[in-house]
Amino acid sequence: MKDILVTGGAGYIGSHTAVELIAAGYRPILVDNFSNTDERLLEGMARITGQEPIVHRGDCCDLEFMRTLFQQYTFAGVIHFAAYKAVGESVAQPLKYYHNNIVSLTNLLQLLEVFEVRSLVFSSSCTVYGQPEQLPIREDGPENKATSPYGCTKQIGEQILSDFYRAHSDFTIGMLRYFNPIGAHPSGWIGELPFGVPNNLVPFLTQATAGHRQALTVFGADYDTPDGSCIRDFIHVVDLAKAHVKTLDFLMRQTSCCEAINLGQGKGNSVFEVIQTFEAVNGVQVPHSIGARRAGDVVQIWADASKAKRLLDWQTELTLGDALRDAWNWQCHLDKG
Ligand code: UD1
């Protein structure tokens, strides 16, 4: 059985990916500093898979700690999720973001080189595109200036990987540009667990609907879009997790590659459409009001997802409605304790 190091493996996307890795016959070895997740996701993973996750508590910026993992296991590949991801916080605390997101990556690359682990999947983001001029956006489309330090760390991360690859052409690297991951495992045992007030749309929406927050504010209804609200490409986290397994399979079949790949549905939905769909699939009302635009938001973005189909034989199977049903199921699970 192949061991795969999954950094940030106890987090939202990491936990769903670990579940899919196990289903595909891999053995995920998780590392997490638990700075933005908690033990509940480990328990949930155990319930879904029937096995206790193998998890090491520690920080990817700690090179010596990471080295002990590479000494202990023979990794066939690495999926690197561990990073900070809150756009607003990155504006307030840029050094925290540059340090954590960049040092963890360069540490990892040093160890991959020394221990000759040649396949790496990197969590990137559609944020590298800024506000695209043409939609849908392809991987070879122009990158605009990122609108936050968080976005810059993803652009720099991709740059570091491209430079590293140029010097090490025997590596296989996938840089996965996620659009907007939402939803939860259909079992309700794992899902998004943000600490404090959620920044992202769907966790805020579920918590507001459950009565834990005040009404959801729609950040701007005066954009130049059909209903005035922003448009995003929302992707079910289980589809996203499966894409990581397919990427790993693909990288292991290659002898040399460094590819950026969009992961999205290939279509956009507006914030109002999310609210309406959530109400329709769950039979609940979402308390909401219209507020001011949020600084730094792009107006609209959705993926050209054809490269993922071509290279990975992957495309989304789940709909926006599926994701919003599963997000609400997860919230209800949490509330029941
Ligand atoms: C952004 C990045 C994404 C990154 C994510 C990390 C872009 C295009 N996307 O997602 O790559 O992974 O941050 O956090 O840069 N909204 C409301 N009310 C709310 C919350 C959100 O109306 O309370 C709206 C936002 O204005 C936006 C949409 O919902 O139009 C989605 O927002 P959010 O879930 O925060 O994700 P992005 O900002 O799109």
Side-chain angles (χ1 to χ4, degrees), residues 85-87 125-127 147 150 178-181 199-202 204 216-219 230-232 234 271 294 297-298 301:
K85 61 170 186 177
V87 174
S125 166
C126 68
T127 196
T147 52
Y150 157 76
Y178 312 152
F179 282 67
N180 285 57
N199 297 301
N200 295 112
L201 175 63
V202 172
F204 197 101
L216 170 75
T217 303
V218 175
F219 295 142
C230 290
I231 294 175
R232 296 288 183 274
F234 296 96
V271 174
R294 182 171 70 175
D297 269 341
V298 304
I301 186 165

Side-chain angles (χ1 to χ4, degrees), residues 18-78:
V19 165
E20 298 303 329
L21 284 169
I22 290 171
Y26 290 105
R27 187 168 79 140
I29 310 297
L30 315 183
V31 55
D32 209 296
N33 66 6
F34 290 86
S35 67
N36 193 28
T37 190
D38 73 31
E39 307 285 337
R40 272 175 286 177
L41 295 193
L42 297 179
E43 289 162 27
M45 288 159 68
R47 282 184 186 267
I48 295 166
T49 64
Q51 45 185 274
E52 288 300 320
I54 303 171
V55 55
H56 295 266
R57 194 177 282 266
D59 199 305
C60 296
C61 291
D62 180 344
L63 182 63
E64 292 319 309
F65 160 71
M66 293 298 287
R67 192 189 305 279
T68 61
L69 298 180
F70 279 79
Q71 285 163 340
Q72 187 176 345
Y73 299 97
T74 303
F75 296 123
V78 176

